[in-house]
Amino acid sequence: MNTPAPDTHFAPRHILGIEGLSSGEITCLLDAADGFVALNRGRQKKSNSLQGLTLINLFFEDSTRTRTSFELAGKRLGADVINMSVATSSIHKGESLIDTAMTLNAMHPDVLVVRHPHSGAVQLLSQKVTCAVINGGDGSHEHPTQALLDALTIRRRKGTIGGLVVTICGDIAHSRVARSNIHLLNTMGARVRLVGPPTLIPPMIERMGVEVFHDMKKGLEGADIVMMLRLQLERMHGTFVPSLRENFHFYGLDADKLAAAKPDALVMHPGPINRGVEIDTSVADDIDRSVITEQVEMGVAVRMACLEAVTGTAATTPAAKPKRKKKARS
Ligand code: NCD
């Protein structure tokens, strides 16, 4: 569980979700991540703040961006990084999630990054281990580092998050990215709109402080940011859209629908993108509007900031504050 923290520091030991983080804590992580962008763009990309520490990536679900960027983030900070391949682990011999976690914990890692198909699994695991845990995505619940990297991308491009109109479109019902972004954007003072067919928008989601639209052009009117989501077919039990072609017709982002948003609106997508299903190639590859690859770049910087924050190695965390020297006795 995220524990309450002083507003301008990041104190929680785990990062399990955005829900419960204050705007000060989010700003603290974004500021730290901003500092890593330049390091990552330079030729010499190493810092040694995590030297001697061990990071284990434990992914029970497919991943390209999240796993690779956590690995890079850990290595750039000087940590030893292990990627546990679930496909070749004892999970397939019947070992439970908790037993796997206890086994890894016995090897004294400092951070576990966990992705799991079940909502709540990462929080449960965090209660059984003695190291810090970062949620790399749990079911359709939360994906905190994705929301942070989205926020960093927006803040760097627009200068602020507060006051912006952000429209999130597509399969909201199965998306942990949508949920984490709704929490973060609301906490930072943005206005959040959701667009999708009724089958893919959870009932009562307005309670999260969002506006719901089923007509994409209306939802995009005057938007500063357009965030597209793919259909999460692996989480769907049953049929939620008549056909992929019809989904694209009504809810796929193309130049015509994008024209309803502000002329300088940015197009975002957490990836992986499915061209012709939720986004047209001409929009996804439009270098003036699409920041999809920039989101990937920000992902490494954000994960570096998160790793430092949970290990208490960041300059801004209370744990890393220089200790006052004891006065010598005379
Ligand atoms: C997202 C995820 O896994 O939740 N992808 C990611 O982390 N970049 C979104 C998705 O899979 O559609």
Side-chain angles (χ1 to χ4, degrees):
M1 284 254 283
N2 297 315
T3 46
D7 207 38
T8 50
H9 292 303
F10 187 88
R13 187 168 134 252
H14 305 304
I15 299 179
L16 301 175
I18 297 293
E19 188 177 10
L21 292 185
S22 67
S23 61
E25 287 171 323
I26 292 167
T27 303
C28 174
L29 288 173
L30 296 182
D31 290 348
D34 225 348
F36 285 120
V37 177
L39 178 75
N40 288 334
R41 286 182 180 171
R43 187 171 147 73
Q44 175 52 251
K45 298 176 180 63
K46 279 262 189 188
S47 122
N48 59 5
S49 58
L50 259 67
Q51 203 167 17
L53 303 191
T54 305
L55 158 67
I56 301 183
N57 273 323
L58 180 56
F59 277 55
F60 294 88
E61 251 190 17
D62 297 346
S63 174
T64 304
R65 281 150 280 266
T66 308
R67 201 195 55 74
T68 312
S69 58
F70 265 114
E71 181 176 356
L72 267 180
K75 286 181 171 165
R76 286 189 183 163
L77 295 175
D80 292 320
V81 183
I82 309 293
N83 292 310
M84 266 275 304
S85 167
V86 168
T88 53
S89 75
S90 291
I91 302 281
H92 286 275
K93 296 182 185 170
E95 189 173 67
S96 74
L97 168 69
I98 300 304
D99 286 334
T100 303
M102 303 286 278
T103 302
L104 294 176
N105 192 52
M107 298 181 204
H108 300 296
D110 298 282
V111 187
L112 272 178
V113 177
V114 187
R115 171 171 283 194
H116 198 278
H118 297 151
S119 303
V122 182
Q123 176 165 358
L124 178 70
L125 185 147
S126 73
Q127 293 161 359
K128 309 285 176 192
V129 297
T130 50
C131 63
V133 175
I134 300 179
N135 183 359
D138 64 323
S140 47
H141 178 223
E142 280 239 34
H143 191 352
T145 57
Q146 179 68 44
L148 287 164
L149 75 87
D150 291 340
L152 183 62
T153 309
I154 295 172
R155 202 179 74 165
R156 286 174 62 94
R157 282 289 189 134
K158 298 285 183 191
T160 179
I161 298 170
L164 295 181
V165 175
V166 182
T167 303
I168 309 177
C169 311
D171 181 2
I172 311 292
H174 301 97
S175 176
R176 51 198 178 206
V177 175
R179 237 162 295 276
S180 288
N181 262 302
I182 293 169
H183 287 304
L184 188 147
L185 293 164
N186 275 337
T187 304
M188 302 306 282
R191 281 176 51 198
V192 184
R193 298 178 186 166
L194 304 180
V195 175
T199 47
L200 293 176
I201 306 253
M204 320 263 230
I205 193 130
E206 287 90 346
R207 284 187 189 167
M208 288 184 81
V210 295
E211 264 184 288
V212 172
F213 296 80
H214 301 301
D215 179 306
M216 192 153 171
K217 280 193 181 169
K218 283 194 183 138
L220 289 181
E221 227 170 69
D224 297 283
I225 305 289
V226 185
M227 209 177 266
M228 297 306 301
L229 299 171
R230 80 185 163 94
L231 295 170
Q232 315 245 310
L233 298 172
E234 72 277 22
R235 275 189 245 295
M236 290 184 191
H237 304 290
T239 311
F240 287 77
V241 290
S243 71
L244 297 185
R245 187 198 285 241
E246 193 164 322
N247 181 71
F248 184 73
H249 178 73
F250 287 109
Y251 297 106
L253 186 68
D254 56 14
D256 177 49
K257 294 193 194 85
L258 182 59
K262 282 201 182 143
D264 60 350
L266 299 177
V267 174
M268 304 181 72
H269 194 309
I273 66 172
N274 291 146
R275 293 168 188 265
V277 180
E278 77 276 0
I279 191 163
D280 190 56
T281 284
S282 64
V283 176
D285 298 341
D286 181 348
I287 51 165
D288 294 324
R289 310 296 291 275
S290 166
V291 290
I292 297 172
T293 50
E294 206 169 301
Q295 288 172 266
V296 177
E297 181 190 4
M298 295 308 128
V300 180
V302 154
R303 282 154 186 144
M304 290 167 86
C306 290
L307 288 173
E308 282 201 342
V310 297
T311 52
T313 51
T316 45
T317 55
K321 273 189 188 168
K323 288 199 181 96
R324 246 195 259 153
K325 272 188 191 159
K326 276 188 189 162
K327 268 189 194 163
R329 284 188 191 187
S330 51

